[in-house]
Amino acid sequence: MTRSNGMNDEITINGDRFTLYLSEERIKIRVKELAARINAEYRGKVPIFIGILNGSFIFFADLIREITIDCEVDFLKLSSYGDAKITSGQVRLLKDLNCQVTGRDIIVVEDVVDSGLSIEFMKEIVMKENPASLRVVTLLLKKSVAKVEFPIDYVGFEIPPEFVIGYGLDYAQKVRNLKAIYRIAPKS
Ligand code: IMP
Ligand code: MG
């Protein structure tokens, strides 16, 4: 895997070119805004934040540190893309919840809602434990492709249906550690 990173706004990975899309600074500002809304709307409650692994781990860590109300955390691990850029269309549970969901306010944290399959799958898992409430926060939403039958309550950025990487989002399991988000560039 080559990672040419000249001006920091263009990266080439295995011959695919990516350009800077959401800078570290923009993400930081938006994460603070989302957290501020959650802090206000959950005042007096003790929600459980459930991160969907692996993609959400960086967003999750940044978001949770802006949360000022009492809260707990847990994680679900779902399988997603495998090693490709297109979804397999199959979601599997790789790690179940360890917390007691019944009667609790649940906030699920996702990196990106694409087809919506993962979030639908997660909803089934959480709802069968009878939470007091369930809301979803996603950093990115590909609205034009997402076929989700329930509202996504907190959305960082609505983006076009393009492949994006960085800030937790992978390309064949790599580049999750990039600090900004990059979008795939058309082949020239
Ligand atoms: P969905 O089930 O199609 O909504 O896809 C959700 C999961 O696929 C996300 O949690 C990501 O892990 C992964 N995914 C979707 N779009 C992208 C992308 O553009 N880049 C990297 N991963 C993605
Ligand atoms: Mg994910």
Side-chain angles (χ1 to χ4, degrees):
M1 178 142 326
T2 56
R3 211 196 257 195
S4 54
N5 205 351
M7 295 290 288
N8 240 357
D9 56 4
E10 204 175 295
I11 297 182
T12 302
I13 303 157
N14 287 352
D16 283 324
R17 210 160 54 83
F18 290 84
T19 52
L20 182 65
Y21 184 41
L22 299 168
S23 69
E24 238 186 299
E25 197 51 36
R26 260 190 92 184
I27 296 170
K28 199 172 177 180
I29 290 167
R30 192 65 186 130
V31 168
K32 282 189 181 183
E33 287 171 357
L34 293 173
R37 278 180 55 200
I38 294 170
N39 285 330
E41 290 171 21
Y42 283 81
R43 187 167 300 137
K45 297 184 172 163
V46 185
I48 308 177
F49 286 85
I50 297 178
I52 314 263
L53 297 173
N54 295 335
S56 75
F57 77 114
I58 291 180
F59 174 46
F60 191 99
D62 283 349
L63 182 75
I64 205 83
R65 281 176 292 176
E66 299 296 335
I67 295 297
T68 50
I69 55 169
D70 277 352
C71 62
E72 298 172 24
V73 308
D74 197 9
F75 297 92
L76 262 181
K77 185 167 167 114
L78 306 181
S79 68
S80 62
Y81 275 63
D83 275 354
K85 277 178 284 186
I86 47 159
T87 180
S88 62
Q90 290 241 319
V91 187
R92 283 183 308 128
L93 181 62
L94 301 180
K95 183 213 161 288
D96 209 340
L97 291 171
N98 295 112
C99 62
Q100 292 294 324
V101 165
T102 311
R104 300 296 302 271
D105 295 300
I106 305 297
I107 303 174
V108 168
V109 182
E110 181 58 301
D111 51 355
V112 51
V113 175
D114 185 359
S115 69
L117 278 173
S118 306
I119 215 80
E120 293 282 359
F121 189 85
M122 167 288 302
K123 194 196 172 194
E124 270 178 44
I125 292 168
V126 173
M127 287 311 284
K128 70 172 194 271
E129 306 291 330
N130 294 312
S133 69
L134 168 62
R135 283 189 181 173
V136 176
V137 48
T138 186
L139 181 65
L140 307 174
L141 172 65
K142 297 184 190 173
K143 201 174 182 182
S144 55
V145 266
K147 297 182 199 72
V148 197
E149 281 165 23
F150 64 99
I152 308 290
D153 307 277
Y154 306 97
V155 176
F157 303 93
E158 270 182 27
I159 64 167
E162 288 164 6
F163 188 68
V164 288
I165 56 164
Y167 197 71
L169 292 148
D170 73 303
Y171 179 10
Q173 296 306 327
K174 298 207 172 67
V175 297
R176 295 191 193 272
N177 54 325
L178 291 171
K179 290 180 180 172
I181 293 176
Y182 296 77
R183 84 208 285 187
I184 197 152
K187 293 229 188 280
S188 51

